[in-house]
């Protein structure tokens, strides 16, 4: 795992080198520091080292390449994942697809066409492609769904699957996991054309060619034809426990013949992405953007994902297999990759509390040691 931290250190040095000026490098460190506080509110006005206006200019106006950061992040992800490959049978790479809403209120003139309503939620709707292999959890790609009159979520997901790098598709057996929003005939046919295997959720009222609905089935593991498909699929189901303790019956299909228990097991694995959604929003502020430009929002999302990856990689290198504490992992990532920023925050807090300490008879003196 020391090799993992070495790769990530190299990645951060490269990303900082992309910044045209020292001022922008400081702004990047300040923004990542806000995200790595892991409190879910990385808003620029909470920064102690940079002004709110400076960080706003950094996100919305300054000329630095977001694409280069994404490219190098992905390159590091591929290197780290492939470094875990062992000789023998190809391991499974879970490609989980889902749609999440970054709820927003108010007016956003610059991108009002992207703010839509889906499932009674108003906001920015992202179709996310999430990779899981072993202990690695990687948000790989996302697309914005623009509403009912545009490209469907299933079409966006199929495009992202088509663009998965060959380094991964050659080294792993892919399992495409998604919920019923992606169980369309177009998506299923597209996955089969790519020669991938998918396990997808379907609605209980999905029709079979014999006129029955899926909910009318009594035995799991049957191979049946759905309306709109010219090949049989294997149908199973499982019971999912909600946060309120209620069990809901979920139907899933497999595009290749498998045992019912196997289909149900893989169908449950799709819910791993929901854990990432909660972590990204509640810990790393994925949905807390308030920028006035599309570029600012795009950069916010990328930096939020970057902070998540830094915390996740630090956990794998330092704490795995112990219980994951996102606050602890984020703090360790902050102290590992941005120690000067963390020390600056400490000194600012000491300076702010110096009068209070002095009023209680404590005199704080700070001196720099020669090392």
């Amino acid at each position: 795992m020391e090799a993992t931290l070495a790769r990530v250190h190299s990645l951060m040095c490269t990303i900082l080198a992309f910044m045209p000026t020292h001022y922008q490098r400081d702004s990047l460190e300040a923004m990542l520091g806000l995200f790595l506080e892991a409190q879910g509110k990385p808003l620029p006005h909470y920064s102690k080292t940079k002004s709110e206006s400076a960080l706003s200019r950094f996100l919305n106006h300054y000329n630095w390449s977001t694409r280069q950061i994404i490219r190098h992040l992905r390159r590091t992800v591929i290197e780290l994942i492939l470094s875990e490959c062992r000789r023998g049978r190809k391991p499974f790479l879970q490609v989980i697809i889902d749609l999440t809403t970054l709820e927003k209120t108010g007016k956003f003139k610059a991108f009002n066409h992207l703010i839509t309503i889906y499932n009674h939620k108003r906001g920015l709707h992202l179709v996310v492609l999430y990779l899981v292999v072993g202990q690695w959890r990687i948000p790989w790609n996302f697309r914005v769904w623009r509403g009912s009159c545009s490209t469907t979520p299933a079409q966006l997901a199929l495009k992202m699957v088509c663009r998965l790098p060959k380094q991964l598709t050659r080294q792993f057996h892919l399992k495409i996991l998604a919920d019923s929003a992606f169980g369309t005939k177009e998506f299923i046919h597209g996955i089969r054309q790519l020669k991938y295997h998918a396990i997808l959720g379907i609605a209980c009222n999905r029709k079979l060619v014999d006129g029955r609905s899926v909910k009318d089935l009594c035995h799991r593991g049957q191979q049946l034809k759905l309306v709109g498909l010219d090949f049989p699929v294997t149908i199973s189901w499982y019971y999912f426990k909600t946060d309120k303790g209620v069990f809901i019956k979920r139907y899933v299909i497999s595009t290749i013949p498998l045992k019912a228990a196997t289909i149900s097991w893989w169908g449950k694995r799709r819910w791993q992405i929901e854990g990432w959604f909660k972590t990204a929003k509640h810990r790393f502020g994925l949905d807390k953007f308030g920028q006035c430009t599309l570029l600012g929002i795009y950069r916010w999302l990328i930096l939020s994902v970057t902070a998540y990856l830094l915390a996740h990689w630090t956990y794998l290198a330092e704490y795995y297999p112990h219980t994951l504490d996102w606050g602890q992992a984020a703090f360790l990532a902050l102290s590992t990759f941005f120690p000067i920023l963390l020390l600056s925050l400490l000194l600012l807090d000491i300076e702010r509390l110096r009068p209070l300490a002095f009023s209680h008879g404590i005199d704080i003196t700070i001196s720099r040691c020669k090392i």
Side-chain angles (χ1 to χ4, degrees), residues 8 90 109 157 191 194 197 217:
V8 180
K90 285 185 179 181
K109 295 181 180 179
I191 292 298
L194 293 172
H197 168 219
L217 299 176

Side-chain angles (χ1 to χ4, degrees), residues 89-102:
R89 297 177 61 184
K90 285 185 179 181
F92 284 108
L93 175 65
Q94 301 172 46
V95 181
I96 307 177
I97 302 167
D98 204 353
L99 187 145
T100 187
T101 300
L102 309 182

Side-chain angles (χ1 to χ4, degrees), residues 349-364:
D349 284 338
I350 292 175
E351 187 64 29
R352 179 173 56 87
L353 296 174
R354 189 193 295 272
L356 177 62
F358 190 76
S359 67
H360 288 273
I362 301 174
D363 187 14
I364 302 176

Side-chain angles (χ1 to χ4, degrees), residues 241-247:
K241 187 176 182 180
T242 65
D243 295 335
K244 297 181 180 179
V246 180
F247 285 90

